[in-house]
Amino acid sequence: MTIYVDANEVPLRKSGQIRLYDESGFAGMRAAGQLTAQCLDRVGELVKPGVTTQELDDFIFQFALDNGSIAATLNYRGYTHSSCISLNHVVCHGIPGGKALKDGDILNIDVTLIVDGWHGDSSRMYVAGNSKRAAERLIDVTYESLMRGISAALPGNTTGDIGHAIQAYAEGQRCSVVRDFCGHGLGQLFHDEPNILHYGRPGEGVELRPGMLFTIEPMINLGRPHVKVLSDGWTAVTRDRSLSAQFEHSVGITESGCEIFTTSPSGLHKPVFA
Ligand code: MF3
Ligand code: CO
Ligand code: CO
């Protein structure tokens, strides 16, 4: 049975219950979400062949500090970077490092900035130099998958409605949905209840209620859905080495629909292709 609790009345730790936040929570999420979105806008200016993913992470580290924030991933479960940067066949949790971007690389940059205790978690795809047609199609399908999932995020719907909207669209485009990672509740915690699966059946899962805060972050592959985690303990790659893409927004369920906290202030929500 799902138990919903007033976020103001329970201790700040994972309890298996679903927290419902009030207007002050939504205000906190707006501030955190907007700073994260601005960070993703700015780091995009640096993405080009020759730049290393460590340089991108360094920018994000400094951007957070300059804005009175800190990245939630820094020292999270032993992770030591301010972002995850996932190239080409890396599905998620790519660790920034000294490898330089090459022309045609596609990458996901995933950032969570904490502002006054609130977590704004978002990721987008970027292209270094000139993109290839197959990569462009995957990026477009993945972005549309996220937005269809968000369209199903309505009070009275369920988490299964979100997953179904994503899966039906992505598979209809001959792509596959990664099963091993999911979206998550967030707010004053980084990863909270409920899990938001990116596949599923209508009406399954947990009912969505006003005040719920969570991410939707589908990972979509051009090939098969299966992933493996490399020996570094973080980097998840497609088993068939096919290209993978991801977009993520942090959202809140309102009385009438859903508010997106991490919308780009400059309209840079996805790469533009020639
Ligand atoms: N930002 C990721 C998410 O969307 C989580 C990264 S956790 C890390 O949930 F430790 F890998 F950084
Ligand atoms: Co997330
Ligand atoms: Co994220």
Side-chain angles (χ1 to χ4, degrees), residues 68-80:
S69 172
I70 183 108
T73 53
L74 205 53
N75 301 317
Y76 177 78
R77 296 172 185 260
Y79 195 80
T80 55

Side-chain angles (χ1 to χ4, degrees), residues 73 76 79 84 93 110-112 121 184 190-191 217 234 246 248:
T73 53
Y76 177 78
Y79 195 80
C84 296
H93 301 166
D110 189 341
V111 176
T112 306
D121 186 3
H184 49 90
F190 185 9
H191 290 115
E217 48 182 300
W234 288 104
Q246 180 180 26
E248 175 177 25

